[in-house]
Amino acid sequence: MSTPAPAPQPAEPEITFTIVDLGKVLVGAMTFVAALAGLILGIRAEIRASDDHKRAVEEDRRVTEARRLTAVERTYFYETDTAAVVVNSSDRVMKMRLVLPQKGVWWGEVQPAPCRQVVIPYEALLASMKAAAPSVQLGPGDLAQLQLEVTDPAGLVWRRASAGGAVPAPPGEPLTGTGRIDYGEQWMADAKSSPVCTAS
């Protein structure tokens, strides 16, 4: 008795891998790597551009702030025996006024041109306040507390005494009421060249 012949096994498919196929795989891989590298480079370039923009904005803000503070620092007043002398040695017109915060009063705004100063006699300060606001009692001793209020190019308000640096005016403390004396234009008419001008 003969044994039956084994059933034929299905033939395993032949795997053929030609050089052309290898080339296609390599081209696909290179394309993927190139796309990935391009994406990474693009993201890095975008981050650098954003950082450069932030640095430029910060530098512009710093320069603007420095100019603004310089303009404030070059605007001041000093006192003689008989007058307050308001000086603008900055390179721009600055809005200023003399104030007595303790009394809540101020005098008219002056805007000396660069390298100009305004001399305001103490007698004129007291007389103008008495004429415009008789209820405000001021004497020569009160004028020892005089301050200069300066509005910088950004619209921020600063105050300084005759001897001392400028500090931001207290927030929420506008001077209002009967103390406003509009004598600024009268004093501006006598503005003179400043001998201590440092404008550039």
Side-chain angles (χ1 to χ4, degrees):
M1 183 169 173
S2 60
T3 51
Q9 297 294 320
E12 295 199 8
E14 272 186 40
I15 299 176
T16 55
F17 200 69
T18 65
I19 292 179
V20 172
D21 295 328
L22 179 61
K24 289 179 180 178
V25 170
L26 289 175
V27 168
M30 290 171 60
T31 302
F32 174 76
V33 169
L36 184 60
L39 178 63
I40 292 171
L41 290 174
I43 291 172
R44 285 183 176 173
E46 196 171 310
I47 291 172
R48 278 197 302 272
S50 176
D51 289 344
D52 289 345
H53 176 70
K54 287 177 183 174
R55 279 193 291 271
V57 168
E58 178 60 24
E59 178 63 14
D60 184 57
R61 187 203 64 75
R62 188 191 65 76
V63 169
T64 300
E65 177 80 359
R67 287 179 178 164
R68 183 168 64 84
L69 292 177
T70 297
V72 170
E73 287 301 323
R74 290 183 172 183
T75 306
Y76 56 93
F77 82 109
Y78 63 90
E79 298 174 274
T80 69
D81 291 338
T82 59
V85 183
V86 177
V87 180
N88 182 11
S89 61
S90 76
D91 59 358
R92 63 187 71 200
V93 174
M94 298 288 284
K95 296 194 294 186
M96 299 172 272
R97 63 184 184 179
L98 289 171
V99 300
L100 278 173
Q102 297 86 341
K103 295 283 188 176
V105 297
W106 69 92
W107 287 266
E109 187 177 271
V110 293
Q111 298 186 48
C115 294
R116 304 289 285 178
Q117 66 182 28
V118 180
V119 179
I120 307 173
Y122 294 140
E123 287 184 7
L125 286 173
L126 294 174
S128 61
M129 187 63 71
K130 185 174 182 179
S135 62
V136 178
Q137 300 297 315
L138 292 182
D142 294 308
L143 299 183
Q145 305 299 319
L146 270 177
Q147 294 183 22
L148 183 67
E149 195 171 81
V150 182
T151 302
D152 72 18
L156 300 177
V157 179
W158 301 75
R159 286 194 193 145
R160 69 188 315 156
S162 59
V167 296
E173 188 194 74
L175 298 178
T176 58
T178 60
R180 179 172 179 167
I181 309 303
D182 294 315
Y183 271 65
E185 290 184 12
Q186 175 182 325
W187 294 326
M188 278 292 296
D190 297 324
K192 297 176 173 55
S193 177
S194 171
V196 294
C197 184
T198 57
S200 55

